[in-house]
Amino acid sequence: MAGKDCVLAIDQGTTSSRAMVFDRRGAVIATSQYEFTQYFPSDGYVEHDPDEIWKTTLKAAQDVVTKVRTENYNVTSIGITNQRETSVVWDKKSGEVIHNAIVWQDRRTAPVCRRLTADGCGDMVQAKTGLLLDPYFSATKAAWIIDNVRGARKRAEAGELAFGTIDSFLIWRLTGGKVHATDATNASRTSLFNIETQNWDEELLTLFRVPASMLPEVKDCAADFGATDASLFGKSIPILGVAGDQQAAAIGQCCFHEGSIKSTYGTGCFVLVNTGNKILRSQNRLLSTVAYRLNGKPSYALEGSIFVAGAAVQWLRDGIQIIDSAPESEALAETVRPGHGVYMVPAFTGLGAPYWDPDARAAVLGMTRATGRAELASATLESICYQTYDLLAAMERDGVKPNALRVDGGMVANNWMNQFLANVLNLPVERPKVMETTALGAAYLAALQTGVTMKDIESNWSLDRKFTPEPFDSSKLLAGWHKAVECVRSFS
Ligand code: ADP
């Protein structure tokens, strides 16, 4: 890239749509962000309005493009990263969506997944996709939409409807309906994509009852995804990079070598470890997934996904309103004595890895008359660390033993949590200077298409702070946590 060239990263997250512009050294030069509405129409249902996602994304992108232009920067390309699995179905002709997006956290298709499990389909699905039979993934969500919107299945079978994860939907809108594409990482989260052959899989399409004509073309993460309609940004800009948010974060954290690992703490928490060109098949209910695909070559990852991390802090703020802002949880936790005996199991939308229990619901256990806001705040932050412990323990049983954990996401501004995490894991926790690794990863992918190398990217990573484990006896605390998880699971 030339001196004032820069990359626009679109980061379409679960609670907000963000746009960031990065200069050629990976420094942020402009950001804009808009929250959008979360819909909870019924127990376990979570929806977004795709039109609101589009409007907030476009507005954020237009804000930053306008801003950097006044500073004589030239936006040369776009990278997109997105909340994964969230599913949208739209009309190929009009571009209109036919239903709200069904969000990754949504549990409405749990009965279908239970039936398919009872029918003995789990092994085949896991062998082909690396995923488990769980409502988390897109296939059952797409089928639900076409089965529940009047006339939709017929239209889908006639080739009139398109399915896409949020990246596809945004690419479609950004290119004025010219391109229906996705990348291999997003495809790998649908349960319809064979991660070994790197193709949509007939047997899976039949099993989940999703017509092939609805599906986007699957491309590498750094590829030509078309160019934006000239009316949107005053000129047409090529879209050159796409990856799901957790994979983008792994790229932003430079997890390019076998064994390198990162954990992102946003709405949920996601640990990804690079397993190189091998698919590591978990014996411990973790997911095998595509880390990235470049020049037609997939690199794989082992992933642990927790549905609720920062969302539990949001619940403290908006649900029971015991804090005014998320950072207040840190000040409160600092006032609490260790070993207070209160446990929070944040199973608001079921439990993810390694439990995969869609019916579990959240609870606070072990309260006394001395329990107050501080204990609740601290128990909430601790629960996120305990859940990370469970993921790393499962990874270790699968043969992965990291020697440090790179962290990122909105929650890792919380120093108290990072230190507790290092103590519980007995592992150094490293926080990079640029915490917006997800957007950075998307920008890096686009930059790879314009001549930047993986080596250039690696030399950009720099440490903000390392949290070293302190002498700490975690065994009693972990025993209490596991008892609390058991209680929650036996209640459902
Ligand atoms: P997402 O990309 O999933 O929308 P972010 O990475 O922006 O999420 O992180 C936002 C989440 O982090 C919110 O759920 C918020 O409650 C939580 N959060 C932000 N700052 C803090 C903090 N200082 N302490 C604890 N949680 C925080």
Side-chain angles (χ1 to χ4, degrees), residues 310-439:
V313 179
Q314 274 173 349
W315 177 77
L316 296 178
R317 188 193 64 184
D318 307 334
I320 55 171
Q321 302 177 0
I322 62 163
I323 53 175
D324 290 326
S325 68
E328 203 188 327
S329 63
E330 177 168 3
L332 273 177
E334 273 167 359
T335 67
V336 128
R337 74 184 159 84
H340 50 71
V342 179
Y343 290 91
M344 135 82 110
V345 183
F348 295 100
T349 54
L351 284 169
Y355 303 103
W356 298 105
D357 189 342
D359 300 317
R361 289 295 176 267
V364 179
L365 297 101
M367 288 191 284
T368 68
R369 283 294 299 273
T371 303
R373 294 158 67 226
E375 286 75 16
L376 287 177
S378 136
T380 301
L381 297 175
E382 286 163 4
S383 74
I384 291 145
C385 304
Y386 295 140
Q387 292 186 94
T388 312
Y389 172 88
D390 287 343
L391 294 182
L392 264 70
M395 284 184 171
E396 194 171 336
R397 289 196 295 277
D398 278 334
V400 174
K401 180 126 183 56
N403 44 29
L405 181 69
R406 289 187 171 180
V407 295
D408 54 70
M411 275 198 92
V412 304
N414 191 313
N415 291 326
W416 189 91
M417 190 192 83
N418 291 319
Q419 188 58 57
F420 192 83
L421 184 63
N423 293 352
V424 164
L425 301 179
N426 193 24
L427 205 64
V429 165
E430 298 173 347
R431 180 171 69 194
K433 280 213 171 94
V434 179
M435 275 192 265
E436 291 289 352
T437 52
T438 308

Side-chain angles (χ1 to χ4, degrees), residues 7-13 18 54 57 61 77-83 165-175 181 183 185-186 221 225-226 228 233 237-245 247-248 251 438-447:
V7 179
L8 164 64
I10 290 175
D11 176 5
Q12 204 302 304
R18 273 177 289 231
W54 165 242
T57 303
S77 60
I78 297 177
I80 299 178
T81 180
N82 55 290
Q83 51 166 325
T165 40
I166 295 293
D167 56 312
S168 284
F169 172 68
L170 292 177
I171 291 167
W172 177 280
R173 290 266 168 119
L174 285 165
T175 59
D183 82 293
T185 67
N186 275 294
C221 299
F225 290 88
T228 59
F233 303 110
I237 308 173
I239 304 166
L240 299 181
V242 176
D245 53 9
Q247 281 86 343
I251 292 161
T438 308
L440 184 61
Y444 280 158
L445 286 171

